């Protein structure tokens, strides 16, 4: 079976994990800091905070941005549920801005409209869908005008660059950027996430929130009289200064992630090569086209998504997926629009309020794209799709 996505683990990765297991430190040790430093340096951000998952990263980012009761967070309807759930976790209100049909990313126009209707918006969370960077200069300028901070959901976009050459994660257009290291993403940590930022107060707050809200670095004590006896620091003393979480990641995971991270450029280069081959193969088709056409040099290429006109093809999407499966080819739909989920419908959302997202959802299908996909396997995928859609 050829899955739609898959991680790549080699002996070096296995050795890296074994090295951590032999080191005597399992969590909160040198591998966490080394991984944070490597990512910060690579993307060009001042700070990086590793956490237990991308979802945990989005939760902490929403909290650090000040989303909460009476405040809204605007994201894209075409994303994994975690982007919007971050608002609900902190008692805030999720809002969706429709996508641009040519990029499947949040459209700056849609964002402007959503901000106009929701003046209580504290944070805007654009999602770099399939790895393609959103129009960040426009999104940042619209968010700035409304006094909202930007948090990039870059779960798909490790290794991606903006058109000006800066890397996603540099926070050139945002207060924070969040990555995921779930095995289906660019690099695997087993589970894991990372928040990058250039803002020191935000960094300090995230460090506390990651670990129960306990003071970190040289945070001043709130009860200094409790911290010392006769002018001498009490060695046991620490303070829980706000309500935080246990969202730490382990050294075991970071050992793997760091080893994987060294291969990132190679991973992305192969994905880009496969994407170009798909683009060429599907160029002349009538009922089917790539969902994203531009930015092939900038994208992190997390997914390869086709838009298929199932009404014209005589085959439903379910049937096509079944036929592909019978040919050992996996496929998936990314994503069911978040406002269409039962939990969100109960909150009053309606998927047809976002016409571009709604239409995209009728047509989208992700086909296999991962580092180990061979040319031969890709040719099999292409010929199966051409046969089934002709
Ligand atoms: C995977 C993903 C997340 C969540 O990341 P986890 O590490 O699985 O918690 C968030 N947003 C998007 C767009 C994702 O694809």
């Amino acid at each position: 079976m050829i899955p739609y996505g898959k991680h790549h683990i080699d002996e070096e990765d296995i050795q890296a994990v074994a090295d951590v297991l032999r080191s005597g430190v399992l969590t909160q040790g040198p591998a966490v800091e080394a991984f944070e430093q490597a990512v910060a340096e690579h993307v060009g951000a001042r700070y990086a905070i590793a956490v237990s998952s991308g979802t945990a990263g989005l939760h902490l980012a929403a909290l650090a941005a000040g989303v909460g009761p009476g405040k809204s967070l605007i994201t894209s309807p075409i994303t994994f549920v975690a982007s919007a759930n971050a608002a609900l976790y902190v008692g805030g209100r999720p809002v969706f801005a429709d996508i641009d049909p040519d990029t499947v990313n949040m459209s700056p126009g849609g964002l402007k409209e959503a901000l106009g209707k929701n003046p209580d918006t504290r944070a805007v969370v654009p999602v770099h869908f399939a790895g393609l960077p959103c129009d960040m200069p426009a999104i940042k300028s619209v968010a700035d005008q409304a006094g909202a901070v930007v948090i990039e959901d870059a779960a798909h976009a490790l290794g991606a660059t903006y058109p000006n050459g800066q890397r996603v994660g540099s926070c050139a257009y945002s207060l924070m950027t969040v990555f995921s290291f779930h095995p289906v993403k660019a690099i695997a940590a087993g589970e894991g996430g990372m928040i990058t930022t250039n803002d020191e107060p935000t960094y300090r707050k995230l460090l506390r929130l990651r670990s129960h809200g306990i003071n970190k670095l040289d945070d001043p004590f709130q009860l200094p009289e409790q911290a010392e006896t006769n002018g001498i620091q009490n060695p046991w003393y620490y303070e829980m200064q706000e309500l935080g979480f246990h969202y730490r990641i382990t050294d075991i995971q970071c050992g793997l992630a760091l080893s994987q991270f060294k291969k990132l450029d190679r991973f992305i280069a192969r994905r880009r090569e496969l994407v170009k081959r798909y683009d060429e193969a599907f160029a002349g088709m009538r009922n089917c086209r790539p969902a994203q056409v531009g930015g092939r040099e900038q994208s992190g290429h997390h997914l390869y998504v086709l838009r298929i006109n199932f009404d014209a093809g005589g085959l439903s999407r379910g049937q096509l997926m079944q036929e592909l499966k019978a040919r050992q080819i996996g496929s998936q739909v990314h994503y069911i629009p978040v406002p269409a989920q039962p939990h969100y419908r109960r909150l009053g959302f309606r998927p047809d309020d976002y016409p571009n997202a709604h239409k995209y959802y009728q047509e989208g299908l992700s086909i296999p794209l991962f580092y180990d996909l061979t040319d031969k396997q890709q040719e099999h995928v292409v010929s199966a799709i051409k046969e089934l859609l002709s």
Side-chain angles (χ1 to χ4, degrees):
M1 191 73 189
I2 307 171
Y4 84 81
K6 193 179 188 326
H7 59 271
H8 167 90
I9 297 283
D10 62 19
E11 283 304 317
E12 210 175 67
D13 298 320
I14 293 166
Q15 191 56 50
V17 174
D19 288 347
V20 172
L21 292 175
R22 289 194 185 95
S23 75
V25 181
L26 296 184
T27 191
Q28 295 308 102
V32 176
E33 275 179 31
F35 181 44
E36 288 175 336
Q37 209 171 343
V39 171
E41 236 165 68
H42 183 263
V43 301
R46 207 164 294 153
Y47 307 105
I49 303 98
V51 288
S52 51
S53 69
T55 303
L58 287 164
H59 179 182
L60 296 189
L63 208 51
V67 182
K71 302 282 177 199
S72 294
L73 175 155
I74 303 182
T75 189
S76 169
I78 301 297
T79 183
F80 184 54
V81 292
S83 321
N85 288 352
L88 298 177
Y89 292 154
V90 299
R93 206 164 56 89
V95 170
F96 300 96
D98 205 0
I99 59 164
D100 173 343
D102 296 326
T103 61
V104 198
N105 280 333
M106 174 190 281
S107 93
L111 174 61
K112 198 166 182 161
E113 199 186 313
L115 281 165
K117 287 185 192 154
N118 299 277
D120 61 354
T121 300
R122 192 71 203 111
V124 173
V125 181
V127 181
H128 305 304
F129 181 78
L132 178 68
C134 296
D135 182 353
M136 290 311 298
I139 286 173
K140 167 106 169 54
S141 128
V142 173
D144 280 352
Q145 280 165 32
V149 304
V150 178
I151 302 166
E152 293 170 76
D153 182 340
H156 298 184
L158 184 67
T161 51
Y162 306 111
N164 74 358
Q166 280 178 290
R167 287 184 195 275
V168 171
S170 60
C171 298
Y173 307 100
S174 62
L175 181 60
M176 290 170 270
T177 302
V178 181
F179 294 106
S180 163
F181 311 118
H182 179 277
V184 86
K185 308 288 166 67
I187 64 166
E191 297 283 0
M194 185 85 79
I195 311 164
T196 60
T197 184
N198 294 316
D199 183 60
E200 191 186 340
T202 300
Y203 170 63
R204 285 171 168 269
K205 189 165 180 75
L206 290 169
L207 282 184
R208 287 191 296 271
L209 291 175
R210 173 174 72 175
S211 200
H212 308 279
I214 291 170
N215 65 294
K216 295 287 166 209
L217 307 176
D218 56 352
D219 286 341
F221 289 121
Q222 293 178 351
L223 301 173
E225 71 283 3
Q226 298 286 317
E228 50 182 62
T229 308
N230 302 329
I232 297 164
Q233 169 92 41
N234 294 328
W236 67 85
Y237 190 72
Y238 63 86
E239 286 183 345
M240 179 192 141
Q241 300 184 328
E242 58 192 311
L243 182 62
F245 299 84
H246 175 185
Y247 279 166
R248 297 189 304 263
I249 190 169
T250 66
D251 257 44
I252 308 169
Q253 292 164 304
C254 288
L256 174 58
L258 194 53
S259 171
Q260 288 264 297
F261 191 61
K262 292 177 187 150
K263 297 184 260 278
L264 176 66
D265 290 346
R266 184 147 55 88
F267 287 172
I268 302 285
R270 175 58 179 160
R271 284 171 176 270
R272 180 173 296 130
E273 194 174 275
L274 289 162
V275 163
K276 284 190 172 153
R277 286 163 52 97
Y278 272 143
D279 282 350
E280 284 161 22
F282 298 124
M285 290 189 67
R286 253 181 304 134
N287 299 336
C288 145
R289 63 188 162 91
Q292 299 174 320
V293 282
R296 288 312 199 203
E297 295 306 314
Q298 276 92 50
S299 180
H301 296 298
H302 167 53
L303 300 170
Y304 192 88
V305 184
L306 287 172
R307 287 189 71 154
I308 299 168
N309 184 352
F310 290 102
D311 293 336
L315 211 58
S316 73
R317 181 160 51 187
Q319 286 169 325
L320 177 64
M321 289 178 78
Q322 282 302 330
E323 290 295 335
L324 288 170
K325 196 174 167 201
R327 290 160 178 78
Q328 314 298 317
I329 299 166
S331 59
Q332 184 53 287
V333 177
H334 296 97
Y335 293 91
I336 301 164
V338 180
Q341 294 289 356
H343 187 80
Y344 279 83
R345 287 184 199 250
R346 281 196 295 271
L347 293 173
F349 292 97
R350 290 161 42 108
D352 37 6
D353 284 345
Y354 318 94
N356 294 337
H358 190 62
K359 178 133 206 306
Y360 162 79
Y361 175 51
Q362 311 306 313
E363 302 179 346
L365 189 71
S366 305
I367 61 172
L369 181 68
F370 51 94
Y371 177 73
D372 283 324
L373 185 69
T374 66
D375 289 2
K376 207 160 171 230
Q377 286 174 320
Q378 188 183 29
E379 281 153 26
H380 173 58
V381 173
V382 167
S383 64
I385 289 170
K386 284 190 164 172
E387 173 214 327
L388 290 164
L389 290 183
S390 68

